[in-house]
Amino acid sequence: MAPLGSASATLAAPLVPAPRDRATVGLSPDDVPASLGEMNASVAVPSGGHWLRRFLAFLGPGYMVSVGYMDPGNWATDIAGGSQFGYLLLLVILLSNLMAIVLQALAARLGIATGLDLAQACRARFSRPVNLLLWAACEVAIIACDLAEVIGTAIALNLLFGIPLVWGAVLTALDVFLVLLLMRRGFRALEAFVIALLSLIFVCFAVQMVLAAPPLQAVLGGFLPRAEVVTNPAALYLAIGIIGATVMPHNLYLHSSIVQTRAYPRTDAGRRVALRWAVTDSTIALMLALFVNAAILITAATVFHAAGRTDVQEIEQAHELLSPMLGVGIASTLFAVALLASGINSTVTATLAGQIVTEGFLRIRLPDWARRLLTRGIAIVPVVVVTGLYGAQGTAKLLVFSQVVLSMQLPFAVIPLVGFVTDQRLMGGLVAGRTLAAVAWAISGLIVALNLKLLHDTFLGG
């Protein structure tokens, strides 16, 4: 494998998109800096050798994206869905994960084909008012995601070390130093940290599944379509929360940028190879996220719903009841450890997504520490206020609500993304084919329809 520095230097000149792409979006070659600056094309890729070496070189961005698909917000919606409705919402988890695989593949396609991340592409194509609207929607999504991370991490610190929720929320501001340390060590160090914590989460829930021993037939039945998911307002609310927690809008901005950290040749052939490996990476990683999300819901359904405890809505309740109901003392500890790993991990991707969105839409580059403290500070305030007024029950409701907010922001990221990747002039030879385009637009339509249904039920009492 070539030294990192030499690979980056060799590919430094063609980092910008092809002239065809820049002309199409009305840009000169020097108008847009490389996404993520010095991290762009910083990871060397071997030009030959065994296919496994090339795959390993591209392995990483998909796992960073998958973090957002198993963060504490997912835990809240999965636990509530499993305890209240049993295995009913497993199909929603499966469908949302398949939607995520398609959408993340489209985000990677945009970044690799054009050299622009989604925020940069929006700024180039849309008017200033539209861009400000899209930027604001994405910032709301990032704050909602950060809200979930603050609550989840604070709960984990409380469960493991007895730290009060309010102080746990305040302590989460210190994770900025962890992110800064990792980013200074290079993008591969960042990815290694994320993958290590993801592995810990996977192991914890693999053990939980073995301990819970769910009935296979009932689990498989949960993947069959049932009308109750749509006709029951409570089930629909949780279903949309699951979609919001799984298909996170800011992850589309993130993936379109971090796939460009690989130093693949910026040629048509090089981009095609890079896209193939990037999609393979993200698909495998998101299947891991599918297992974790399904495991949380299945555990809640097997342990709580089957015993008549349909009232378990909060992470603290689940932690308190797991060990007694399973009869294994370590079950609750594994649950809390995985939750803490999930909250810490989500910090990394939220920081990067915030940087990408701010630089792409506004061309403002804030210091990493300032960006992190700003978003985390905005998220900490409502958590502290709600915890002080309503206690743990209030934070649980706030956690589920944050995931519904994420789902409401999805159309503002998905529709521009699908529009870009189906544009022949912009994408050239990597434009999405008719079948992929039809699937992508169908997913967009489903997301909009579900959100309209939720708004109708919430405000008009439908």
Side-chain angles (χ1 to χ4, degrees):
M1 184 177 292
L4 180 61
S6 62
S8 301
T10 303
L11 294 167
L15 285 182
V16 297
R20 178 202 71 236
D21 303 323
R22 291 295 172 121
T24 302
V25 295
L27 299 171
S28 67
D30 298 323
D31 276 337
V32 180
S35 186
L36 279 182
E38 67 279 359
M39 289 190 181
N40 197 293
S42 63
V43 179
V45 175
S47 57
H50 197 274
W51 65 268
L52 183 59
R53 291 184 62 209
R54 294 192 296 277
F55 170 68
L56 292 176
F58 280 95
L59 185 145
Y63 289 87
M64 296 191 69
V65 168
S66 74
V67 167
Y69 294 85
M70 56 183 97
D71 78 341
N74 296 75
W75 292 49
T77 52
D78 292 341
I79 289 171
S83 65
Q84 190 172 351
F85 298 104
Y87 306 103
L88 175 68
L89 298 180
L90 276 176
L91 177 64
V92 177
I93 290 180
L94 175 61
L95 290 178
S96 62
N97 203 80
L98 294 176
M99 290 164 56
I101 289 173
V102 173
L103 293 175
Q104 294 299 161
L106 295 181
R109 182 180 291 264
L110 174 68
I112 291 172
T114 67
L116 301 171
D117 60 51
L118 181 56
Q120 292 173 332
C122 288
R123 180 183 172 92
R125 276 298 181 89
F126 301 134
S127 65
R128 181 172 177 79
V130 172
N131 270 301
L132 289 176
L133 172 64
L134 294 175
W135 168 75
C138 192
E139 289 292 349
V140 169
I142 291 173
I143 291 170
C145 176
D146 222 34
L147 192 67
E149 294 166 19
V150 169
I151 296 173
T153 305
I155 291 173
L157 290 172
N158 175 260
L159 297 178
L160 289 171
F161 308 110
I163 299 174
L165 287 177
V166 171
W167 285 109
V170 173
L171 286 175
T172 60
L174 299 178
D175 63 20
V176 63
F177 299 108
L178 172 64
V179 176
L180 290 175
L181 175 64
L182 290 170
M183 293 180 74
R184 286 174 181 171
R185 291 180 176 272
F187 205 78
R188 274 310 223 182
L190 209 61
E191 293 173 341
F193 177 81
V194 166
I195 293 174
L197 288 184
L198 287 178
S199 301
L200 177 60
I201 296 169
F202 181 86
V203 170
C204 287
F205 275 103
V207 175
Q208 294 278 23
M209 288 287 286
V210 172
L211 295 176
L216 181 59
Q217 185 175 356
V219 170
L220 294 177
F223 290 103
L224 299 177
R226 292 164 64 181
E228 185 183 352
V229 175
V230 178
T231 58
N232 186 325
L236 179 64
Y237 182 82
L238 282 174
I240 294 177
I242 289 173
I243 292 174
T246 304
V247 187
M248 287 194 167
H250 68 280
N251 263 348
L252 302 177
Y253 292 91
L254 176 69
H255 203 190
S256 64
S257 175
I258 61 178
V259 291
Q260 299 179 51
T261 58
R262 269 47 189 176
Y264 54 85
R266 265 53 173 182
T267 62
D268 288 342
R271 290 181 177 121
R272 288 185 183 279
V273 172
L275 178 60
R276 183 167 66 248
W277 288 119
V279 171
T280 301
D281 172 50
S282 63
T283 300
I284 294 173
L286 289 175
M287 293 306 293
L288 169 65
L290 171 62
F291 169 81
V292 171
N293 283 322
I296 296 172
L297 188 143
I298 290 170
T299 300
T302 304
V303 179
F304 307 134
H305 184 81
R309 292 300 307 265
T310 59
D311 60 324
V312 180
Q313 304 286 319
E314 303 168 14
I315 292 176
E316 294 98 327
Q317 281 181 290
H319 173 268
E320 181 183 352
L321 294 173
L322 262 179
S323 285
M325 297 185 75
L326 281 175
V328 182
I330 198 175
S332 293
T333 302
L334 289 173
F335 182 86
V337 169
L339 177 62
L340 182 60
S342 174
I344 294 174
N345 230 354
S346 300
T347 292
V348 176
T349 55
T351 299
L352 283 177
Q355 178 182 337
I356 291 162
V357 167
T358 302
E359 293 177 5
F361 276 116
L362 305 181
R363 301 276 179 87
I364 297 175
R365 181 171 177 82
L366 295 175
D368 295 331
W369 63 269
R371 169 75 209 188
R372 189 67 199 139
L373 285 178
L374 177 63
T375 56
R376 178 66 29 128
I378 293 173
I380 286 173
V381 171
V383 175
V384 171
V385 171
V386 170
T387 302
L389 293 177
Y390 303 104
Q393 186 177 5
T395 57
K397 292 180 179 178
L398 187 61
L399 191 55
V400 175
F401 176 72
S402 72
Q403 302 311 295
V404 177
V405 170
L406 280 171
S407 184
M408 301 299 290
Q409 307 308 314
L410 264 176
F412 296 99
V414 172
I415 292 176
L417 172 65
V418 177
F420 291 143
V421 298
T422 54
D423 186 339
Q424 173 74 50
R425 294 186 307 157
L426 178 63
M427 299 293 292
L430 289 182
V431 66
R434 291 184 178 181
T435 301
L436 179 57
V439 171
W441 283 119
I443 291 173
S444 303
L446 176 62
I447 290 170
V448 172
L450 288 175
N451 284 333
L452 290 176
K453 170 68 174 171
L454 177 65
L455 287 173
H456 180 271
D457 290 349
T458 301
F459 297 108
L460 299 181

